[in-house]
Structure formats: structure tokens, C-alpha cells
Amino acid sequence: MAEGGPDAGSAPPTPSMSSLPLAALNVRVRRRLSLFLNLRAHVAADWTALAEEIGYEYLEIRRLETHADPTGSLLDEWQGRPGASVGRLLELLGKLGRDDLLMELGPSIEEDCQKYILKQQQEASEKPLQVDSVDSSIPRTRDPAGITICDDPLGQMPECFDAFICYCPSDIQFVQEMIRELEQTNHRLKLCVSDRDVLPGTCIWSIASAVGWWWLSLMITCKARNVTSRLSLHSASLQVPIRSD
């Protein structure tokens, strides 16, 4: 019988030490690295040789020379750059002939990496089950999605308007006059008035979203105190475009 694949509920593979970021190395290992590499010696590569292998330029190395702990500063800066990892550090130390460091600090580095992996796994297991991102606010279910009284309940063919009227309750008389002037005259515009056309209980944010995404209508903000006569209302109505469809 052929061997089956891994179970769907199996744990994710454990990352190798070589792929872990430098943040996995704790303070103790960093201090011991500094004790070895801060010492300038002609017989062994020091922190400046490591900096050159990493890709630091002359002026950057001279700047680090002014630090009390240049090795620690080098590791702190390097871990924010692309390609920095524990495996890369061990590779460069081996390339520089610092096998003494690898033998001396190898067990401590491995211990730090194991602690880092366990901590990452624990944090991942405690995360709530949820999608990584929300790509749209438009409903994708078969639940009723109508907003106005004439909408398709499934949201397939939303009702269209020429303009959405945004008003305060104190402006309702002006809204009624606007309805008479724009809907019941030769203009024949179709207005969306919340108290008349929107289903009771509809969220205000759903209405605002529909104005921008579905109805594609003009929004008219009412300020009744700025309209002094029916003539001014009629002049304003002439600026409202008629729906092309």
C-alpha cells in the first residue's frame, strides 16, 4: 500500500537553524561573540573581517569602531538587513577560519535557536482562527442583501437612483419640496430618500457603501436655510445630471 501524505491537522515543519533570524540569538551568546571578536589580533579574524564579509564598506566599519561594543552593534545593524540569519553568521565564521568560535559557542547557539522555535510555535498556537486579510466589504453570501424596498434580496440587481439625498430630520420639509421639484416635474429624476426608500434597520455604513459602489449616484447635501425661494431650488435642480441608462 502506498504511503499516504501528511495529515491535514499535522504540525508545520520545524524551521532549520540556518533559516532563523539573528534575533534568535540571546544576550549571552552575543556578549560571548563580542569577547572573541572585539579583540584585535593578527592571528585570527576579528569583527572588522566579519563586517567586510557581510558587505559593510570602509566608512561604515570606521563608524562602528567608535562604539564600545562594535561586534554587538554590527549584529544589531545586520539583523535588520536582507539575508541576515543564524546560518549565514555561522557560515561566515567558518569562512573566516573561526572554528574555535563555532566549537565554543555552538551548543549555546543551538540552545537559543531551540528556545526561539518553541516560542514561535507557542505564539502561533495561541493566535485566533481568522482570515489573514479582508479584501472586500461587499457580501459574498446568499443572505438577503437588499438595502432599498425595491432591491433584489440577493443583491444581484440593486436599485439605481439619480441622486442620494443626505439630510437632517429638521430639513424634511425642504426634502419634500425637492421631491416635488425633481421627481414630479419634467426632470423626472429618481431620488433616494432614506425615510422613504431604505429598508428599516439598514446600517448607515451599508447605505454609504451603496452610494459609492452600487448606485453610483450624485449625493445632494440638504441645507434648507440656504434656500430662500422656490426659484433657487429650481435653479439648483437644473444642475443635477439625468441618469444615462
Side-chain angles (χ1 to χ4, degrees):
M1 182 176 179
E3 185 176 348
D7 295 336
S10 60
T14 302
S16 63
M17 187 171 63
S18 61
S19 63
L20 294 180
L22 285 178
L25 299 182
N26 216 327
V27 177
R28 181 185 58 173
V29 169
R30 292 170 182 261
R31 286 179 177 174
R32 294 178 68 186
L33 278 171
S34 296
L35 289 176
F36 281 94
L37 295 177
N38 283 346
L39 182 64
R40 304 294 293 269
H42 298 289
V43 295
D46 57 12
W47 71 269
T48 58
L50 177 61
E52 288 185 357
E53 290 294 333
I54 292 174
Y56 273 66
E57 297 180 352
Y58 172 74
L59 293 179
E60 293 177 306
I61 296 175
R62 289 300 303 271
R63 175 177 54 82
L64 291 175
E65 285 180 336
T66 62
H67 294 198
D69 180 11
T71 300
S73 299
L74 174 64
L75 295 177
D76 290 341
E77 289 188 10
W78 184 33
Q79 71 182 18
R81 298 189 177 189
S85 66
V86 175
R88 181 59 177 164
L89 174 62
L90 299 180
E91 177 185 346
L92 293 180
L93 291 176
K95 182 179 179 180
L96 294 173
R98 296 307 303 260
D99 295 332
D100 55 328
L101 271 175
L102 299 178
M103 294 181 60
E104 179 72 21
L105 301 181
S108 298
I109 293 176
E110 184 175 357
E111 181 182 354
D112 280 355
C113 291
Q114 291 298 331
K115 290 180 180 179
Y116 182 85
I117 293 173
L118 290 177
K119 183 178 180 181
Q120 295 296 312
Q121 292 176 343
Q122 181 180 1
E123 292 178 353
S125 65
E126 295 175 352
K127 288 182 178 180
L129 297 177
Q130 60 185 18
V131 295
D132 295 334
S133 62
V134 179
D135 59 352
S136 176
S137 61
I138 300 177
R140 301 188 179 201
T141 65
R142 286 290 182 180
D143 298 335
I147 294 179
T148 67
I149 58 177
C150 295
D151 264 348
D152 181 356
L154 297 180
Q156 300 297 324
M157 296 183 63
E159 187 177 7
C160 295
F161 298 89
D162 292 301
F164 175 79
I165 310 300
C166 181
Y167 60 94
C168 296
S170 59
D171 295 328
I172 189 63
Q173 292 184 352
F174 173 59
V175 172
Q176 293 172 351
E177 186 175 359
M178 182 178 291
I179 292 174
R180 289 193 297 270
E181 288 292 328
L182 299 182
E183 288 190 338
Q184 301 173 11
T185 62
N186 293 334
H187 296 298
R188 298 298 180 184
L189 299 180
K190 184 176 181 181
L191 306 180
C192 179
V193 181
S194 297
D195 293 326
R196 181 191 66 178
D197 301 306
V198 177
L199 290 171
T202 303
C203 176
I204 184 63
W205 305 118
S206 298
I207 300 173
S209 176
V211 171
W213 288 98
W214 293 339
W215 298 338
L216 300 178
S217 58
L218 175 72
M219 179 180 291
I220 300 178
T221 302
C222 296
K223 293 183 179 179
R225 60 182 180 273
N226 292 335
V227 179
T228 57
S229 66
R230 179 178 299 273
L231 178 60
S232 61
L233 172 62
H234 181 72
S235 298
S237 69
L238 295 180
Q239 301 176 10
V240 180
I242 300 177
R243 190 172 67 251
S244 60
D245 57 349

